[in-house]
Amino acid sequence: MGRGSAGRIGIALTEKQRIAWLRLIRSDNVGPSTFRDLIRHYGSAEAALAALPELSQRGGSTRVIRIASEQDALRELEAAHRFGARFVGIGEPDYPQALREIDGAPPLLAVKGNLPTATRPAIGLVGSRNASISGAKFTAMIARACGQAGYAVVSGLARGIDTAAHRASLETGTIAAMAGGLDQPYPPENIGLLHEIWDGNGLAVSEMPFGWEPRARDFPRRNRLIAGISLGVVVIEAATRSGSLITARLAGEFGRLVFAVPGSPLDPRCEGTNGLLKDGAMIVTRPEDVIEALRPLAEPDLFRPQLAEAPAEKSDKPISLPPDDTDRWEIIDALGPTPVEIDDIIRHTGLSVSSVHSVLLELDMAGRLHRHPGGLVSISMLD
């Protein structure tokens, strides 16, 4: 497989669109899934931004929603430029192709380094921060072999297994997924490694703003990037309660291959990986196990882009009128704290798809909608 076989597909955003996208994703109550729903409903980020205050009010919010200003977006773009980084949109050629396909893919990624690495097929390698010598050595073997076979190696820049994976694939290409902003690397002892990554054939990616210091709850989002960018994830040493198992679970939910390296039943670092094998993960005892399993998935056209917004100056998409209060309350009454499928809401109420999605957006912007795996939703009830 050639290193460039993944290809580059997509359409570039205009600078005007990039500013509007950045404003939208940085506004209150707008996460990746909400971002995509807003774009689909309103046709453009600019139209969605104009609708946010009214959506929030109709959803029951009692406070004024914070909308990121154009000045805020321009400051962040300038910070990225000074840092030698840029923002890549989900429909653009330099956005990781496999990541486009997951639910809740980040609409914008801050990236620094060798951009072509983002478009290559990738394999995730994750594991214990307190890695054994043999675990780190075997990780390096897998990373080197996969790199030589044309795959980018993705990991989370953590101590232990992550560090071994990145170092072994510096020459062939590695991607560091970060929990904080690109300018807030963690842990501090890997700052030098991060510079080696983006100054060479590697790339650093983050969905967080510049200046954002990583917190505990940001690391599962980082793990989601690793699983989403990769065609498969290999877990080498992981305790029963570890972030690596979160990455493996997400990879399974995204339809990616999950591999695990077996270890001693007496080593707590191997309880998680041995458990993955019991649950059906693919066993890895040599690098070829990974390469052979990935080969059918590494076709250039396996992932095709699904643009969140057509890069045009204006959208001709008609915006439907909001539902009336009777329909709104019928939808809200059908919801509760128990997660349900959106299709079930439509069937239960007998209302149009547009009406249901409009009310869900209202609740979302008011901070009352909760999104769950599998596309399920629930709401917080008003006092």
Side-chain angles (χ1 to χ4, degrees):
M1 181 189 65
R3 287 179 57 178
S5 65
R8 296 173 71 253
I9 45 182
I11 303 173
L13 294 170
T14 66
E15 279 309 297
K16 182 179 179 182
Q17 288 172 326
R18 202 177 310 277
I19 291 168
W21 277 38
L22 191 55
R23 289 183 62 198
L24 186 58
I25 194 59
R26 298 294 189 242
S27 296
D28 279 356
N29 300 335
V30 180
S33 295
T34 307
F35 180 100
R36 180 164 284 195
D37 287 348
L38 286 165
I39 295 293
R40 285 173 174 167
H41 190 78
Y42 289 99
S44 73
E46 287 187 329
L49 285 164
L52 293 187
E54 186 178 354
L55 280 173
S56 175
Q57 186 178 31
R58 291 203 305 259
S61 178
T62 57
R63 66 179 183 86
V64 177
I65 189 171
R66 184 196 64 83
I67 300 173
S69 68
E70 184 172 341
Q71 290 72 26
D72 292 334
L74 289 172
R75 277 193 293 268
E76 190 168 358
L77 287 170
E78 178 58 28
H81 178 73
R82 290 196 306 268
F83 197 71
R86 57 169 291 197
F87 288 96
V88 177
I90 193 171
E92 295 193 283
D94 292 319
Y95 193 93
Q97 293 175 29
L99 186 62
R100 288 173 172 143
E101 304 301 315
I102 72 169
D103 288 338
L108 285 171
L109 279 178
V111 299
K112 180 175 180 177
N114 184 44
L115 278 174
T117 304
T119 59
R120 288 169 50 196
I123 179 68
L125 299 184
V126 296
S128 173
R129 289 176 172 82
N130 182 31
S132 69
I133 294 173
S134 60
K137 185 176 180 179
F138 191 62
T139 299
M141 287 175 57
I142 298 174
R144 279 192 293 268
C146 288
Q148 290 165 3
Y151 296 93
V153 172
V154 189
S155 201
L157 201 67
R159 304 178 184 95
I161 297 299
D162 290 21
T163 297
H166 288 308
R167 287 208 172 279
S169 54
L170 282 172
E171 292 186 6
T172 54
T174 187
I175 299 175
M178 298 175 60
L182 287 182
D183 58 344
Q184 298 293 324
Y186 182 87
E189 59 261 39
N190 272 350
I191 292 176
L193 173 59
L194 181 60
H195 282 268
E196 290 184 69
I197 290 170
W198 65 39
D199 289 340
N201 290 326
L203 186 71
V205 302
S206 173
E207 62 181 303
M208 305 308 288
F210 278 82
W212 187 276
E213 295 184 9
R215 303 161 298 177
R217 67 182 183 183
D218 296 322
F219 287 91
R221 297 180 65 163
R222 184 275 313 268
N223 297 343
R224 170 176 129 271
L225 289 180
I226 297 171
I229 293 171
S230 306
L231 299 177
V233 169
V234 184
V235 184
I236 310 105
E237 296 185 344
T240 51
R241 296 175 63 86
S242 73
S244 299
L245 297 187
I246 294 175
T247 309
R249 175 179 58 79
L250 290 168
E253 291 176 359
F254 298 156
R256 310 298 156 81
L257 298 180
V258 178
F259 303 88
V261 177
S264 170
L266 301 178
D267 189 343
R269 289 172 295 200
C270 299
E271 290 180 1
T273 47
N274 290 340
L276 287 173
L277 292 170
K278 290 179 182 178
D279 292 337
M282 302 178 71
I283 189 169
V284 177
T285 59
R286 59 190 186 121
E288 290 75 17
D289 295 334
V290 179
I291 295 169
E292 290 169 6
L294 287 178
R295 189 171 290 117
L297 304 179
E299 296 300 323
D301 296 328
L302 179 65
F303 296 105
R304 294 185 181 277
Q306 295 180 359
L307 303 187
E309 176 188 21
E313 287 299 318
K314 292 184 180 180
S315 171
D316 296 326
K317 178 182 177 68
I319 300 174
S320 57
L321 294 174
D324 59 32
D325 286 343
T326 300
D327 290 348
R328 179 175 293 108
W329 280 109
E330 185 173 354
I331 295 166
I332 293 173
D333 287 342
L335 291 163
T338 302
V340 296
E341 294 183 5
I342 295 175
D343 285 347
D344 286 341
I345 302 170
I346 295 168
R347 283 191 290 265
H348 178 81
T349 61
L351 297 172
S352 68
V353 173
S354 176
S355 294
V356 170
H357 280 281
S358 292
V359 173
L360 293 180
L361 280 174
E362 294 171 6
L363 295 168
D364 209 351
M365 296 317 305
R368 297 177 58 196
L369 189 74
H370 305 286
R371 296 177 182 269
H372 304 271
L376 305 180
V377 295
S378 63
I379 65 167
S380 299
M381 308 305 292
L382 293 174
D383 295 333

